[in-house]
Amino acid sequence: MRISPKKLAIKMLKKYKDISLQDILNILHVIVIDTMPLVDTNGFYQYVQRNHIIYINCNLDPHEKNFVIAHEIGHMLMHKNQNAVFLDSRSTSSLDKFECQANTFAVEYLLPDTYLQENSEFSIYELARIQGVPQEFVKLKQI
């Protein structure tokens, strides 16, 4: 059985406590390409010849990039061997499932339970804004 996105986020947070997403990318030897605009997408993950590559739309602000990086790390950890381009052309339900899992991982990573508890004077929507989590994904938070 595969690990849930929430459990995977908790595991990553324990392993890389107090380390930025940028530093995690360096530790995991992920190649990040964020120097070009992407058409109709904020980013995507690719595994090619044993290289992890994350492409990020250069037009995103830093908060948006943070969420996209967390989302793509989710793909890297959960869907490394999936060909999203192939899935996209064959089955939207599989792609939707993978996107939902990556979004859930990103939400759980950026809004962990401990962060919510430590900042309980703020609403989850205020904390999501601070952490760069799009409001429409807050509903994925598993409390």
Side-chain angles (χ1 to χ4, degrees):
M1 185 170 105
R2 289 191 167 191
I3 189 169
S4 74
K6 180 171 184 153
K7 287 183 181 175
L8 184 59
I10 291 167
K11 183 178 176 183
M12 287 288 293
L13 287 162
K14 283 181 182 175
K15 183 173 184 176
Y16 298 109
K17 184 176 178 152
D18 300 325
I19 297 177
S20 73
L21 282 172
Q22 293 295 327
D23 289 337
I24 292 171
L25 292 171
N26 290 333
I27 291 167
L28 298 175
H29 305 289
V30 177
I31 299 166
V32 177
I33 299 173
D34 64 353
T35 56
M36 63 183 131
L38 300 175
V39 178
D40 297 328
T41 190
N42 290 331
F44 63 96
Y45 166 74
Q46 188 176 37
Y47 184 67
V48 179
Q49 298 177 348
R50 297 191 322 223
N51 291 297
H52 300 283
I53 306 169
I54 292 177
Y55 299 84
I56 301 172
N57 189 332
C58 69
N59 294 325
L60 299 178
D61 70 41
H63 272 79
E64 291 172 316
K65 283 184 182 183
N66 208 41
F67 183 81
V68 172
I69 289 168
H71 173 98
E72 300 308 334
I73 288 173
H75 279 305
M76 183 181 84
L77 298 173
M78 294 182 290
H79 311 129
K80 179 172 104 174
N81 296 318
Q82 303 301 320
N83 183 335
V85 175
F86 178 81
L87 286 173
D88 192 28
S89 66
R90 303 287 189 271
S91 166
T92 56
S93 63
S94 292
L95 187 60
D96 289 346
K97 174 183 163 189
F98 293 140
E99 289 303 309
C100 185
Q101 289 173 342
N103 284 332
T104 301
F105 171 84
V107 169
E108 293 293 345
Y109 187 86
L110 295 171
L111 295 173
D113 294 343
T114 53
Y115 177 72
L116 297 180
Q117 292 162 358
E118 291 167 0
N119 296 283
S120 60
E121 68 274 18
F122 298 101
S123 76
I124 191 170
Y125 292 97
E126 290 171 309
L127 294 173
R129 186 176 39 77
I130 292 166
Q131 293 297 99
V133 175
Q135 298 292 301
E136 64 267 24
F137 296 130
V138 171
K139 66 180 184 267
L140 296 172
K141 176 66 185 152
Q142 300 167 357
I143 298 176

